[in-house]
């Protein structure tokens, strides 16, 4: 009889242990530390130590926030390094509601910045008019030569401090190493000659919808210009200036051989590839 009772008790204990072992699996998603507490029920003293360890980990100080950098400090930072800057909105692309981000062209008195897919709310996006000062954190990145802030976040809109940059004439810098030092700034080019652009089928035109002519009205516009014996490709970025804007319509009306002046942001893609916001036919 004792043997039967003993077996029954053993089976009950085994069932109880099995039930306890299953509890952490259901609780892990809300309290990961509970698995340590459950496993320590067999020995009372280790249970207290095991319960204390996660508490010690949770008590660790969070990583310090990145201090706001000057333009020179930002440019000297390594690729993928955490960065933080304060600068002024010069232009912005559409707000991408599905992911809660926007792409913003920024500048201060020392240089330009390009914040790609910066996290912000629709309300914050609407508040960021031209000249608005903001604080942005993220990681310095480089993509095909373009230096930008990736995985960025709008930290603060800073009131009562505005700045709208005057475009810098960088025409004479085309073809020189000096030009890259002004990447992402608001710039102007004068006395350029519209050159032929060739699509994927070998047809020539004053501009193309998409870089190879595969697009249609509403897509990015690409056009070539000659200056000082060299040819450069400029772009009207449709997210920045869509087909209802003056610059989009002006480029659609270009003719090969015309002399034009252009204004925009000194974007970089495998070399200089400005995002143009204004085109004036000079002759």
């Amino acid at each position: 009889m004792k043997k039967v009772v003993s077996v029954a008790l053993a089976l009950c204990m085994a069932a109880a242990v099995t039930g306890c072992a299953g509890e952490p699996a259901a609780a892990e998603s809300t309290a990961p530390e509970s698995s340590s507490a459950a496993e320590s029920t067999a020995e009372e003293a280790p249970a207290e130590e095991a319960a204390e360890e996660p508490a010690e980990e949770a008590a660790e100080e969070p990583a310090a926030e990145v201090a706001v950098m000057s333009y020179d400090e930002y440019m000297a930072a390594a690729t993928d390094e955490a960065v933080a800057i304060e600068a002024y909105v010069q232009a912005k692309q559409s707000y991408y509601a599905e992911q809660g981000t926007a792409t913003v062209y920024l500048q201060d008195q020392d240089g330009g910045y390009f914040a790609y897919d910066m996290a912000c709310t629709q309300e914050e996006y609407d508040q960021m008019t031209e000249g608005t000062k903001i604080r942005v954190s993220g990681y310095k990145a480089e993509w095909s030569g373009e230096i930008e802030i990736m995985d960025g976040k709008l930290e603060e809109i800073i009131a009562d401090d505005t700045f709208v940059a005057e475009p810098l004439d960088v025409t004479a810098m085309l073809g020189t190493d000096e030009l890259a030092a002004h990447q992402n700034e608001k710039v102007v080019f004068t006395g350029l000659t519209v050159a032929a652009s060739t699509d994927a089928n070998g047809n020539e035109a004053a501009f193309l919808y998409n870089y190879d002519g595969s697009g249609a009205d509403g897509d990015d516009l690409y056009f070539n210009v000659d200056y000082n014996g060299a040819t450069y490709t400029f772009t009207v970025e449709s997210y920045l200036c869509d087909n209802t804007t003056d610059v989009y319509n002006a480029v659609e009306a270009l003719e090969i051989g015309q002399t034009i002046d252009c204004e925009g942001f000194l974007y970089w893609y495998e070399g200089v590839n400005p995002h143009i916001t204004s085109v004036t036919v000079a002759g």
Side-chain angles (χ1 to χ4, degrees):
M1 184 66 177
K2 290 183 179 180
K3 184 175 183 181
V4 172
V5 173
S6 298
V7 171
L9 288 173
L11 289 173
C12 291
M13 291 177 65
V17 171
T18 302
C20 292
E23 289 174 6
E28 280 179 0
S29 60
T30 56
E33 66 272 16
S34 64
S35 60
S36 297
E39 290 170 1
S40 63
T41 54
E43 298 182 23
E44 186 175 348
E48 296 176 357
E49 297 175 2
E52 292 174 358
E53 290 177 2
E56 291 175 359
E57 292 178 5
E60 290 182 1
E61 290 294 326
E65 292 185 4
V66 178
V68 173
M69 300 174 168
S70 67
Y71 178 75
D72 288 341
E73 290 171 334
Y74 166 78
M75 291 301 293
T79 301
D80 297 327
E81 183 176 338
V83 294
I85 59 103
E86 288 182 358
Y88 304 82
V89 176
Q90 304 301 305
K92 57 185 183 179
Q93 293 186 5
S94 300
Y95 183 70
Y96 313 115
E98 66 281 1
Q99 57 194 41
T101 65
T103 295
V104 184
Y105 301 77
L106 301 166
Q107 191 165 335
D108 59 22
Q109 289 81 355
D110 299 314
Y113 310 84
F114 186 68
Y116 183 76
D117 276 357
M118 177 188 70
C120 63
T121 66
Q122 179 72 63
E123 182 180 4
E124 290 169 333
Y125 178 79
D126 293 340
Q127 292 177 38
M128 290 187 292
T129 56
E130 184 183 28
T132 302
K133 187 175 185 180
I134 63 174
R135 180 180 301 125
V136 180
S137 64
Y139 294 88
K140 184 181 176 184
E142 182 176 336
W143 185 72
S144 296
E146 166 67 12
I147 297 172
E148 58 193 28
I149 299 174
M150 291 287 291
D151 296 326
K153 178 184 177 183
L154 173 64
E155 297 289 356
E156 182 182 358
I157 295 176
I158 302 170
D160 302 323
D161 187 0
T162 61
F163 170 72
V164 176
E166 287 294 324
L168 175 68
D169 191 333
V170 294
T171 310
M173 299 181 197
L174 283 167
T176 71
D177 293 338
E178 184 182 2
L179 186 62
H182 298 280
Q183 190 176 130
N184 296 317
E185 290 181 25
K186 190 183 292 184
V187 297
V188 64
F189 303 89
T190 58
L192 308 176
T193 302
V194 178
S197 298
T198 305
D199 66 18
N201 297 317
N203 302 311
E204 292 188 345
F207 73 94
L208 300 176
Y209 294 111
N210 288 341
Y211 72 95
D212 59 355
S214 63
D217 183 35
D219 292 324
D220 295 348
L221 299 181
Y222 287 77
F223 62 102
N224 289 337
V225 296
D226 285 341
Y227 178 77
N228 201 23
T231 301
Y232 304 92
T233 300
F234 287 8
T235 302
V236 176
E237 169 60 60
S238 60
Y239 285 118
L240 176 63
C241 299
D242 66 21
N243 61 353
T244 67
T245 58
D246 291 343
V247 64
Y248 199 100
N249 296 324
V251 171
E252 287 183 309
L254 289 179
E255 298 176 5
I256 296 171
Q258 285 180 320
T259 301
I260 60 174
D261 299 335
C262 298
E263 184 177 316
F265 296 96
L266 195 59
Y267 189 80
W268 217 260
Y269 177 76
E270 304 295 347
V272 59
N273 179 218
H275 286 176
I276 300 302
T277 57
S278 175
V279 169
T280 303
V281 176

